[in-house]
Amino acid sequence: DTAVSQTPKYLVTQMGNDKSIKCEQNLGHDTMYWYKQDSKKFLKIMFSYNNKELIINETVPNRFSPKSPDKAHLNLHINSLELGDSAVYFCASSPTAGELFFGEGSRLTVL
Amino acid sequence: GEDVEQSLFLSVREGDSSVINCTYTDSSSTYLYWYKQEPGAGLQLLTYIFSNMDMKQDQRLTVLLNKKDKHLSLRIADTQTGDSAIYFCAESVGGNKLTFGTGTQLKVEL
């Protein structure tokens, strides 16, 4: 009964490939996020959806495309992967701004 | 600007107090938060403070806010080995966006 679950937890792939990370929350929250954490542990917001509507879209290459089929799911698709995309990607959900519930992260390694 | 800065490392002995500091630049922040990240896990909310407060205490945790200097601190009393983690401060200016600090790695030694 994990609150925010992401799959896969680990992803190793070659440059140029396309990959997806899935996220699901069973907390009933309206807002979901994708954050990227780099090797120095710096955490930066990428996208936010509120009830399936995109509300935050930071300066992220358009190779990254989020999709929210319903308010409990937020997936992240990445095209043409680059070495610099290697990071840990965190999904989160929140009932209010600031009170975020994070998944365990998906570690992406691009070779 | 939305830069939120923290010192990178802090090492303390078990039983001592830890003080983790954070400076932010956006004076219109409404709430300020402290999150904890254990190895291999996502972040967990520890506590938060509303911008019109100076201090908040929650069991072993004390949050101090100096709005004039845009300085936030987290004090952990009687630090235990289980407190070893990365601690992030974060600010919420408005809407649904949270900006995280650079993170402080706390190491608790026996």
Side-chain angles (χ1 to χ4, degrees):
Chain A
D1 57 341
T2 306
V4 181
S5 59
Q6 300 178 223
T7 53
K9 191 163 181 173
Y10 299 97
L11 198 50
V12 180
T13 189
Q14 301 283 337
M15 264 195 327
N17 284 350
D18 304 338
K19 290 293 176 188
S20 291
I21 307 171
K22 295 187 175 183
C23 179
E24 176 181 4
Q25 55 100 359
N26 63 5
L27 298 167
H29 298 160
D30 284 341
T31 308
M32 294 185 73
Y33 308 80
W34 278 110
Y35 277 84
K36 178 181 180 181
Q37 187 173 46
D38 64 20
S39 58
K40 294 182 180 176
K41 304 298 183 184
F42 185 66
L43 203 66
K44 187 162 176 59
I45 190 167
M46 299 174 71
F47 303 102
S48 176
Y49 274 72
N50 182 268
N51 208 1
K52 303 193 294 176
E53 298 285 329
L54 179 66
I55 56 171
I56 295 173
N57 184 351
E58 290 293 290
T59 310
V60 177
N62 57 15
R63 298 182 295 104
F64 290 79
S65 50
K67 277 195 175 57
S68 181
D70 55 62
K71 75 173 196 177
H73 295 84
L74 180 61
N75 303 323
L76 183 65
H77 187 75
I78 316 170
N79 288 325
S80 303
L81 279 155
E82 299 177 358
L83 293 176
D85 297 332
S86 294
V88 181
Y89 292 84
F90 285 100
C91 177
S93 71
S94 69
T96 61
E99 189 183 355
L100 270 60
F101 292 75
F102 281 81
E104 292 194 342
S106 297
R107 181 177 292 276
L108 171 65
T109 303
V110 182
L111 303 174
Chain B
E2 295 179 340
D3 292 337
V4 184
E5 304 235 340
Q6 302 175 236
S7 51
L8 284 180
F9 298 103
L10 176 65
S11 180
V12 299
R13 289 199 172 182
E14 191 176 41
D16 287 350
S17 292
S18 308
V19 179
I20 302 170
N21 294 303
C22 170
T23 56
Y24 59 97
T25 56
D26 199 320
S27 56
S28 56
S29 297
T30 49
Y31 285 92
L32 293 138
Y33 302 83
W34 284 103
Y35 278 80
K36 176 183 181 183
Q37 184 180 27
E38 295 182 359
L43 281 71
Q44 288 180 293
L45 178 63
L46 281 179
T47 187
Y48 64 92
I49 189 167
F50 188 50
S51 58
N52 69 353
M53 296 169 66
D54 298 324
M55 186 183 92
K56 180 179 179 181
Q57 185 145 8
D58 185 359
Q59 299 182 329
R60 290 192 297 123
L61 306 178
T62 303
V63 180
L64 294 177
L65 175 60
N66 181 330
K67 256 195 114 170
K68 177 175 165 286
D69 295 338
K70 299 192 189 74
H71 184 265
L72 180 74
S73 67
L74 174 70
R75 179 177 179 269
I76 306 173
D78 186 26
T79 314
Q80 303 297 307
T81 53
D83 295 324
S84 292
I86 302 175
Y87 291 80
F88 292 90
C89 62
E91 61 175 348
S92 172
V93 175
N96 286 322
K97 186 174 173 181
L98 203 62
T99 300
F100 285 90
T102 46
T104 299
Q105 172 86 57
L106 173 64
K107 183 178 176 184
V108 182
E109 297 174 329
L110 294 171

